[in-house]
Amino acid sequence: MEENVEPLFVGVKLEKEKSLVLKLCNKQKTRVKVIKDRLKIASDRQKSYTNLKRCDIKHQVGDKVFLKVYPWKKIIRFIQKGKLSPRFIGHYEILETVEPVAYKLALLPELEKIHNVFHVSMLRRYYSDPSHALSVESIEVNPDLTYNEKPILIQA
């Protein structure tokens, strides 16, 4: 008879432990759900702040762009080093759109070591300003490549 009593007692003990384990699992599930909800709220808030500042940059084939160079300071040196080194170089033409955010550029032969496909974050649009270009007639260059400076305006 003792054999029958002992398995019943073990069965009751197992049922109590099983119900305790289920309660703990349910508590953990609710805690995980609360944590996920709070992470979602924080992520949505950060995303809304970021999207206010974000603008999609689109370039067309044939546009001129400047190329950001400061990540390459250690690889290729552009004229100056340190603080005075240029942040952007040249103005290069876009040859093709590789992906919506990647563009292939027509680089100079000096930059042949660099792959010619760049992410849009590495590019800055070049706006040509006609006032920056000097006409050839306005500068009189002598055959020995010298010129005479003449003041345009004297301010008092």
Side-chain angles (χ1 to χ4, degrees):
M1 285 199 171
E2 290 180 14
E3 293 175 8
N4 291 338
V5 174
E6 198 170 300
L8 287 175
F9 180 69
V10 171
V12 171
K13 188 176 180 182
L14 286 177
E15 286 296 321
K16 287 182 181 179
E17 288 179 3
K18 186 177 179 183
S19 66
L20 182 64
V21 167
L22 288 176
K23 286 180 185 176
L24 288 174
C25 285
N26 287 335
K27 269 188 180 179
Q28 289 298 89
K29 284 181 184 178
T30 56
R31 288 178 182 164
V32 167
K33 186 178 182 310
V34 168
I35 290 170
K36 283 184 179 180
D37 291 342
R38 289 181 181 172
L39 284 173
K40 175 81 169 122
I41 290 168
S43 174
D44 289 344
R45 183 176 55 244
Q46 291 171 355
K47 185 177 179 183
S48 69
Y49 293 148
T50 302
N51 286 342
L52 291 174
K53 298 176 187 175
R54 180 167 290 156
C55 63
D56 292 333
I57 300 172
K58 302 278 184 187
H59 297 291
Q60 303 295 326
V61 173
D63 284 353
K64 303 279 187 181
V65 292
F66 288 114
L67 183 59
K68 189 183 288 190
V69 294
Y70 67 84
W72 305 326
K73 280 186 194 175
K74 307 288 188 252
I75 300 169
I76 299 173
R77 183 162 292 155
F78 296 96
I79 304 165
Q80 300 284 332
K81 65 178 184 176
K83 288 185 189 178
L84 300 177
S85 66
R87 299 291 185 245
F88 293 91
I89 58 168
H91 60 276
Y92 303 105
E93 184 177 352
I94 294 178
L95 297 177
E96 70 176 280
T97 303
V98 178
E99 290 183 11
V101 293
Y103 297 96
K104 186 175 188 177
L105 301 181
L107 295 178
L108 298 175
E110 296 90 39
L111 300 175
E112 66 185 16
K113 294 179 183 177
I114 299 173
H115 188 63
N116 61 352
V117 176
F118 297 95
H119 188 266
V120 71
S121 65
M122 298 292 292
L123 306 175
R124 181 173 286 176
R125 185 178 300 277
Y126 169 73
Y127 295 104
S128 63
D129 187 359
S131 67
H132 292 158
L134 297 174
S135 64
V136 178
E137 296 86 31
S138 66
I139 302 174
E140 297 175 13
V141 179
N142 298 329
D144 60 350
L145 299 179
T146 60
Y147 64 95
N148 297 327
E149 292 185 32
K150 297 177 186 175
I152 297 173
L153 177 67
I154 299 174
Q155 294 181 342

